[in-house]
mmCIF file of all heavy atoms in Angstrom:
data_model
loop_
_atom_site.group_PDB
_atom_site.id
_atom_site.type_symbol
_atom_site.label_atom_id
_atom_site.label_comp_id
_atom_site.label_asym_id
_atom_site.label_seq_id
_atom_site.Cartn_x
_atom_site.Cartn_y
_atom_site.Cartn_z
ATOM 1 N N ALA A 1 0.838 -1.207 0.013
ATOM 2 C CA ALA A 1 -0.017 -0.008 0.015
ATOM 3 C C ALA A 1 0.889 1.242 -0.003
ATOM 4 O O ALA A 1 0.535 2.246 -0.639
ATOM 5 C CB ALA A 1 -0.936 0.016 1.237
ATOM 6 N N ALA A 2 1.964 1.185 0.751
ATOM 7 C CA ALA A 2 2.866 2.359 0.824
ATOM 8 C C ALA A 2 3.506 2.659 -0.524
ATOM 9 O O ALA A 2 3.802 3.783 -0.854
ATOM 10 C CB ALA A 2 3.911 2.137 1.868
ATOM 11 N N ASP A 3 3.741 1.605 -1.278
ATOM 12 C CA ASP A 3 4.370 1.757 -2.568
ATOM 13 C C ASP A 3 3.416 2.022 -3.720
ATOM 14 O O ASP A 3 3.803 2.306 -4.857
ATOM 15 C CB ASP A 3 5.159 0.448 -2.925
ATOM 16 C CG ASP A 3 6.352 0.254 -2.003
ATOM 17 O OD1 ASP A 3 6.838 1.268 -1.449
ATOM 18 O OD2 ASP A 3 6.818 -0.918 -1.866
ATOM 19 N N ALA A 4 2.111 1.952 -3.460
ATOM 20 C CA ALA A 4 1.111 2.188 -4.433
ATOM 21 C C ALA A 4 1.215 3.600 -4.957
ATOM 22 O O ALA A 4 1.350 4.536 -4.148
ATOM 23 C CB ALA A 4 -0.334 1.869 -3.898
ATOM 24 N N PRO A 5 1.113 3.825 -6.261
ATOM 25 C CA PRO A 5 1.229 5.150 -6.779
ATOM 26 C C PRO A 5 0.140 6.099 -6.247
ATOM 27 O O PRO A 5 -1.025 5.741 -6.193
ATOM 28 C CB PRO A 5 1.119 4.992 -8.316
ATOM 29 C CG PRO A 5 0.473 3.656 -8.473
ATOM 30 C CD PRO A 5 0.870 2.835 -7.305
ATOM 31 N N LYS A 6 0.518 7.328 -5.893
ATOM 32 C CA LYS A 6 -0.410 8.288 -5.329
ATOM 33 C C LYS A 6 -0.864 9.220 -6.456
ATOM 34 O O LYS A 6 -0.344 9.214 -7.541
ATOM 35 C CB LYS A 6 0.297 9.157 -4.275
ATOM 36 C CG LYS A 6 0.872 8.288 -3.146
ATOM 37 C CD LYS A 6 -0.249 7.604 -2.308
ATOM 38 C CE LYS A 6 0.321 6.860 -1.089
ATOM 39 N NZ LYS A 6 0.873 7.720 -0.077
ATOM 40 N N ILE A 7 -1.939 10.048 -6.210
ATOM 41 C CA ILE A 7 -2.521 10.834 -7.242
ATOM 42 C C ILE A 7 -1.583 11.969 -7.705
ATOM 43 O O ILE A 7 -1.738 12.508 -8.824
ATOM 44 C CB ILE A 7 -3.881 11.432 -6.820
ATOM 45 C CG1 ILE A 7 -3.760 12.385 -5.606
ATOM 46 C CG2 ILE A 7 -4.844 10.317 -6.505
ATOM 47 C CD1 ILE A 7 -5.005 13.169 -5.359
ATOM 48 N N ASN A 8 -0.566 12.309 -6.869
ATOM 49 C CA ASN A 8 0.372 13.352 -7.307
ATOM 50 C C ASN A 8 1.316 12.866 -8.395
ATOM 51 O O ASN A 8 2.104 13.625 -8.889
ATOM 52 C CB ASN A 8 1.067 13.962 -6.105
ATOM 53 C CG ASN A 8 1.909 13.026 -5.366
ATOM 54 O OD1 ASN A 8 1.361 11.932 -5.013
ATOM 55 N ND2 ASN A 8 3.111 13.335 -5.020
ATOM 56 N N ALA A 9 1.201 11.606 -8.730
ATOM 57 C CA ALA A 9 2.006 11.040 -9.834
ATOM 58 C C ALA A 9 1.137 10.975 -11.136
ATOM 59 O O ALA A 9 1.600 10.639 -12.212
ATOM 60 C CB ALA A 9 2.450 9.624 -9.539
ATOM 61 N N LEU A 10 -0.147 11.378 -11.051
ATOM 62 C CA LEU A 10 -0.988 11.423 -12.197
ATOM 63 C C LEU A 10 -0.755 12.681 -13.042
ATOM 64 O O LEU A 10 -0.103 13.613 -12.613
ATOM 65 C CB LEU A 10 -2.501 11.434 -11.775
ATOM 66 C CG LEU A 10 -3.038 10.078 -11.241
ATOM 67 C CD1 LEU A 10 -4.428 10.301 -10.643
ATOM 68 C CD2 LEU A 10 -3.095 9.002 -12.288
ATOM 69 N N ARG A 11 -1.312 12.666 -14.275
ATOM 70 C CA ARG A 11 -1.285 13.842 -15.126
ATOM 71 C C ARG A 11 -2.661 14.118 -15.554
ATOM 72 O O ARG A 11 -3.412 13.241 -15.999
ATOM 73 C CB ARG A 11 -0.377 13.608 -16.292
ATOM 74 C CG ARG A 11 1.113 13.386 -15.950
ATOM 75 C CD ARG A 11 1.712 14.675 -15.398
ATOM 76 N NE ARG A 11 3.124 14.510 -15.024
ATOM 77 C CZ ARG A 11 3.553 14.089 -13.843
ATOM 78 N NH1 ARG A 11 2.672 13.882 -12.868
ATOM 79 N NH2 ARG A 11 4.817 14.012 -13.612
ATOM 80 N N TRP A 12 -3.084 15.399 -15.499
ATOM 81 C CA TRP A 12 -4.448 15.798 -15.904
ATOM 82 C C TRP A 12 -4.309 16.837 -17.050
ATOM 83 O O TRP A 12 -3.499 17.809 -16.975
ATOM 84 C CB TRP A 12 -5.172 16.480 -14.774
ATOM 85 C CG TRP A 12 -5.643 15.664 -13.642
ATOM 86 C CD1 TRP A 12 -6.836 15.142 -13.482
ATOM 87 C CD2 TRP A 12 -4.884 15.377 -12.403
ATOM 88 N NE1 TRP A 12 -6.912 14.487 -12.293
ATOM 89 C CE2 TRP A 12 -5.728 14.626 -11.582
ATOM 90 C CE3 TRP A 12 -3.597 15.645 -11.999
ATOM 91 C CZ2 TRP A 12 -5.338 14.165 -10.348
ATOM 92 C CZ3 TRP A 12 -3.177 15.207 -10.744
ATOM 93 C CH2 TRP A 12 -4.037 14.440 -9.925
ATOM 94 N N LEU A 13 -5.089 16.669 -18.074
ATOM 95 C CA LEU A 13 -5.323 17.721 -19.093
ATOM 96 C C LEU A 13 -6.610 18.432 -18.752
ATOM 97 O O LEU A 13 -7.647 17.750 -18.641
ATOM 98 C CB LEU A 13 -5.283 17.194 -20.512
ATOM 99 C CG LEU A 13 -5.371 18.244 -21.642
ATOM 100 C CD1 LEU A 13 -4.178 19.190 -21.602
ATOM 101 C CD2 LEU A 13 -5.565 17.613 -22.995
ATOM 102 N N GLY A 14 -6.564 19.770 -18.639
ATOM 103 C CA GLY A 14 -7.775 20.482 -18.232
ATOM 104 C C GLY A 14 -8.190 21.521 -19.188
ATOM 105 O O GLY A 14 -7.443 21.941 -20.093
ATOM 106 N N SER A 15 -9.382 22.031 -18.999
ATOM 107 C CA SER A 15 -9.940 23.141 -19.760
ATOM 108 C C SER A 15 -9.897 24.419 -18.914
ATOM 109 O O SER A 15 -10.173 24.363 -17.756
ATOM 110 C CB SER A 15 -11.326 22.875 -20.306
ATOM 111 O OG SER A 15 -12.175 22.604 -19.253
ATOM 112 N N HIS A 16 -9.544 25.547 -19.548
ATOM 113 C CA HIS A 16 -9.504 26.857 -18.838
ATOM 114 C C HIS A 16 -10.866 27.483 -18.998
ATOM 115 O O HIS A 16 -11.434 27.482 -20.097
ATOM 116 C CB HIS A 16 -8.388 27.664 -19.508
ATOM 117 C CG HIS A 16 -8.508 29.138 -19.239
ATOM 118 N ND1 HIS A 16 -8.774 30.034 -20.209
ATOM 119 C CD2 HIS A 16 -8.324 29.838 -18.071
ATOM 120 C CE1 HIS A 16 -8.768 31.266 -19.702
ATOM 121 N NE2 HIS A 16 -8.560 31.166 -18.391
ATOM 122 N N ASN A 17 -11.370 28.068 -17.960
ATOM 123 C CA ASN A 17 -12.719 28.688 -18.019
ATOM 124 C C ASN A 17 -13.710 27.741 -18.698
ATOM 125 O O ASN A 17 -14.394 28.053 -19.699
ATOM 126 C CB ASN A 17 -12.664 30.062 -18.719
ATOM 127 C CG ASN A 17 -12.004 31.119 -17.944
ATOM 128 O OD1 ASN A 17 -11.772 30.949 -16.750
ATOM 129 N ND2 ASN A 17 -11.674 32.240 -18.555
ATOM 130 N N SER A 18 -13.835 26.605 -18.061
ATOM 131 C CA SER A 18 -14.643 25.484 -18.603
ATOM 132 C C SER A 18 -16.126 25.779 -18.895
ATOM 133 O O SER A 18 -16.740 25.091 -19.664
ATOM 134 C CB SER A 18 -14.541 24.289 -17.702
ATOM 135 O OG SER A 18 -13.223 24.053 -17.284
ATOM 136 N N TYR A 19 -16.616 26.846 -18.286
ATOM 137 C CA TYR A 19 -18.008 27.223 -18.398
ATOM 138 C C TYR A 19 -18.345 28.085 -19.617
ATOM 139 O O TYR A 19 -19.540 28.343 -19.940
ATOM 140 C CB TYR A 19 -18.466 27.973 -17.160
ATOM 141 C CG TYR A 19 -17.604 29.166 -16.951
ATOM 142 C CD1 TYR A 19 -17.945 30.400 -17.497
ATOM 143 C CD2 TYR A 19 -16.425 29.154 -16.274
ATOM 144 C CE1 TYR A 19 -17.201 31.535 -17.364
ATOM 145 C CE2 TYR A 19 -15.612 30.201 -16.088
ATOM 146 C CZ TYR A 19 -15.993 31.429 -16.671
ATOM 147 O OH TYR A 19 -15.190 32.546 -16.567
ATOM 148 N N ARG A 20 -17.313 28.601 -20.306
ATOM 149 C CA ARG A 20 -17.607 29.549 -21.440
ATOM 150 C C ARG A 20 -18.041 28.736 -22.686
ATOM 151 O O ARG A 20 -17.292 27.859 -23.108
ATOM 152 C CB ARG A 20 -16.318 30.318 -21.745
ATOM 153 C CG ARG A 20 -15.882 31.318 -20.741
ATOM 154 C CD ARG A 20 -14.900 32.346 -21.288
ATOM 155 N NE ARG A 20 -15.535 33.478 -21.946
ATOM 156 C CZ ARG A 20 -15.388 33.793 -23.224
ATOM 157 N NH1 ARG A 20 -14.509 33.083 -23.960
ATOM 158 N NH2 ARG A 20 -15.957 34.850 -23.731
ATOM 159 N N PRO A 21 -19.212 29.048 -23.184
ATOM 160 C CA PRO A 21 -19.737 28.238 -24.303
ATOM 161 C C PRO A 21 -18.949 28.502 -25.613
ATOM 162 O O PRO A 21 -18.255 29.462 -25.780
ATOM 163 C CB PRO A 21 -21.168 28.795 -24.451
ATOM 164 C CG PRO A 21 -21.461 29.592 -23.260
ATOM 165 C CD PRO A 21 -20.108 30.077 -22.747
ATOM 166 N N ASP A 22 -19.141 27.554 -26.482
ATOM 167 C CA ASP A 22 -18.588 27.641 -27.850
ATOM 168 C C ASP A 22 -19.087 28.963 -28.485
ATOM 169 O O ASP A 22 -20.195 29.410 -28.320
ATOM 170 C CB ASP A 22 -19.070 26.456 -28.689
ATOM 171 C CG ASP A 22 -18.443 26.424 -30.045
ATOM 172 O OD1 ASP A 22 -17.524 27.204 -30.323
ATOM 173 O OD2 ASP A 22 -18.855 25.559 -30.847
ATOM 174 N N LEU A 23 -18.176 29.610 -29.245
ATOM 175 C CA LEU A 23 -18.499 30.863 -29.939
ATOM 176 C C LEU A 23 -18.874 30.568 -31.370
ATOM 177 O O LEU A 23 -18.032 30.340 -32.216
ATOM 178 C CB LEU A 23 -17.289 31.821 -29.864
ATOM 179 C CG LEU A 23 -17.044 32.545 -28.570
ATOM 180 C CD1 LEU A 23 -15.732 33.219 -28.607
ATOM 181 C CD2 LEU A 23 -18.100 33.548 -28.261
ATOM 182 N N ASP A 24 -20.177 30.528 -31.616
ATOM 183 C CA ASP A 24 -20.586 30.377 -33.049
ATOM 184 C C ASP A 24 -20.426 31.768 -33.720
ATOM 185 O O ASP A 24 -20.118 32.802 -33.029
ATOM 186 C CB ASP A 24 -22.006 29.919 -33.137
ATOM 187 C CG ASP A 24 -23.058 30.779 -32.435
ATOM 188 O OD1 ASP A 24 -22.851 32.014 -32.375
ATOM 189 O OD2 ASP A 24 -24.000 30.277 -31.866
ATOM 190 N N PRO A 25 -20.528 31.874 -35.028
ATOM 191 C CA PRO A 25 -20.275 33.143 -35.704
ATOM 192 C C PRO A 25 -21.045 34.299 -35.139
ATOM 193 O O PRO A 25 -20.574 35.446 -34.987
ATOM 194 C CB PRO A 25 -20.613 32.858 -37.170
ATOM 195 C CG PRO A 25 -20.330 31.401 -37.315
ATOM 196 C CD PRO A 25 -20.770 30.775 -36.019
#
């Protein structure tokens, strides 16, 4: 259990200002 990988070894790809809708023309 001590050797099990922790979440700080993960990698996340995220979105910035995730709430802003798509900009149609």
Side-chain angles (χ1 to χ4, degrees):
D3 292 338
K6 303 294 183 70
I7 63 168
N8 59 314
L10 288 170
R11 297 293 180 268
W12 289 265
L13 183 63
S15 59
H16 162 249
N17 287 348
S18 311
Y19 58 89
R20 292 194 84 238
D22 186 9
L23 283 169
D24 58 34

